[in-house]
Amino acid sequence: MDMQMNFVRKIPSPQELKEQFPLTEKIQKIKEERDEIVKNIFEGKDERFLLIIGPCSADNEEAVLDYMTRLAKVQDKVKDKIFMVPRVYTNKPRTKGTGYKGMLHQPNPQGEEDMLAGIIAIREMHTRVVKETGFTCAEEMLYPDNHRYLSDLLSYVAIGARSVEDQQHRIVASGLGIPVGMKNPTSGDISVMMNSITAAQAKQKFLYRGWEVTTEGNPLAHSILRGYVDAFGRSHSNYHYEDIRNLIDCYAADPSLKNPAVIIDCNHSNSGKKYMEQIRISKDVLHSRHVSADIKQIVKGLMIESYIEDGAQKIGDGVYGKSITDPCLGWEKTENLIYELAETLE
């Protein structure tokens, strides 16, 4: 017996799709300028604080655009202190492999899975966000082979807690040309995350989309602390002063690593998925930056899950702008929090 797979249809290559859905020169220029700013933040040449903020999953184009338009107005008011790279996450890891896997799989969360329609839908949504708000966004690289469908639109990529140990994620990250955040694994083992950063910063040679490729390594690969789960299934946080100091020591133990940096994920196991805790956690992290110059230097920003409505809903409930995956902070609380953070930042 060969393979028990049903080959449905051949999907266009990223190059073919980019030719079919090209970007304007204006969009290309916006990405170039924003990429440079984000790079400067990670290299310590720009003092602004990064905010990687937005819905847990970008499930509805109109609600996502509405959210991003609101966010753009807030960004304009805090631009001297905060630089935002919104989350437009269109493929979602599912712990059990079932359920809603993001717009990539299901352009309509209540409809059938349709990968071709999904790839087109996510490219068009990302393009609309840049065109209408001037934001280039962040995605999770769940499937390394799919990254090139959006590579001309993204300014930041995160590698999830379950993917961070995977060889292909690590070596593909070495060739992305934008900052890649490596989350600590769900077990909380920091050495796994540090190994992942080392691999992504190294030169690599590997097979990718039917090609033999080489990379020069990604000096902007860095850590994301997202909390962890113990052997009994209990959530534990790792955003505290002591955790960040420990991370500084890990970086110091390997002087070959470039641009030591961390983004603190305020949700997931850090908050025990209690979305309101994100407000307190983000302020706690800023306090740690105030009391330690080392921590101020290494903590480049925060990751916050936020949408139009507080909390989460089941698929089919139909509440506009409310998460159908993890609970998110609603718009009013988000806006207030951003202004408070801007005031607190030195």
Side-chain angles (χ1 to χ4, degrees), residues 20-268:
Q20 201 182 336
F21 299 93
L23 301 182
T24 62
E25 263 180 55
K26 189 184 175 190
I27 287 177
Q28 291 171 27
K29 194 164 178 289
I30 289 169
K31 173 166 157 63
E32 228 170 87
E33 287 167 0
R34 283 178 56 85
D35 284 0
E36 190 61 25
I37 292 168
V38 178
K39 178 174 182 269
N40 287 340
I41 290 171
F42 278 98
E43 290 180 346
K45 297 172 190 164
D46 188 323
E47 289 291 298
R48 279 179 287 181
F49 194 65
L50 266 178
L51 217 46
I52 297 157
I53 186 167
C56 175
S57 60
D59 58 332
N60 174 307
E61 188 171 314
E62 293 314 312
V64 168
L65 263 296
D66 179 353
Y67 175 89
M68 297 300 160
T69 305
R70 299 181 193 197
L71 199 64
K73 291 176 186 148
V74 179
Q75 167 66 94
D76 198 47
K77 292 179 185 166
V78 297
K79 60 179 184 280
D80 296 342
K81 291 185 175 181
I82 291 173
F83 189 78
M84 295 186 207
V85 182
R87 290 169 55 105
V88 178
Y89 280 26
T90 57
N91 40 129
K92 298 301 297 173
R94 309 306 304 189
T95 310
K96 295 179 180 175
T98 56
Y100 177 66
K101 299 188 187 85
M103 192 182 277
L104 169 72
H105 286 259
Q106 285 166 273
N108 171 4
Q110 290 173 267
E112 295 292 310
E113 290 196 37
D114 184 335
M115 302 303 287
L116 179 58
I119 285 171
I120 292 167
I122 68 177
R123 183 163 176 84
E124 293 205 293
M125 178 167 63
H126 271 281
T127 306
R128 263 192 81 186
V129 172
V130 192
K131 204 163 102 183
E132 294 177 31
T133 69
F135 280 133
T136 47
C137 299
E139 267 272 18
E140 176 172 351
M141 187 168 76
L142 183 58
Y143 311 109
D145 270 2
N146 292 352
H147 173 75
R148 286 189 60 78
Y149 286 110
L150 298 173
S151 59
D152 52 350
L153 285 157
L154 301 177
S155 283
Y156 185 91
V157 160
I159 297 204
R162 295 163 193 83
S163 304
V164 77
E165 299 191 54
D166 176 60
Q167 177 94 331
Q168 198 196 8
H169 282 82
R170 292 174 170 193
I171 59 181
V172 171
S174 75
L176 295 196
I178 54 173
V180 178
M182 302 291 188
K183 290 199 172 187
N184 63 263
T186 49
S187 68
D189 185 345
I190 298 301
S191 69
V192 169
M193 178 182 73
M194 299 309 292
N195 290 341
S196 197
I197 296 165
T198 304
Q201 290 199 3
K203 293 180 179 185
Q204 300 287 358
K205 187 173 200 167
F206 54 99
L207 289 175
Y208 186 67
R209 298 197 61 92
W211 287 76
E212 180 182 354
V213 298
T214 63
T215 70
E216 287 304 302
N218 187 346
L220 302 176
H222 59 277
S223 56
I224 301 175
L225 293 178
R226 48 87 75 203
Y228 61 98
V229 177
D230 66 18
F232 303 99
R234 294 177 297 221
S235 283
H236 296 273
S237 58
N238 60 6
Y239 63 83
H240 295 285
Y241 182 92
E242 299 78 7
D243 298 304
I244 302 169
R245 287 231 70 94
N246 174 57
L247 184 64
I248 291 170
D249 293 342
C250 291
Y251 268 111
D254 187 352
S256 72
L257 290 177
K258 300 175 185 79
N259 306 311
V262 62
I263 300 285
I264 305 293
D265 178 349
C266 297
N267 215 6
H268 296 103

Side-chain angles (χ1 to χ4, degrees), residues 288-305:
S288 296
R289 284 176 98 246
H290 283 317
V291 295
S292 162
D294 289 349
I295 289 179
K296 185 181 177 189
Q297 197 178 352
I298 201 169
V299 176
K300 300 296 183 186
L302 300 171
M303 206 171 249
I304 292 172
E305 292 194 310

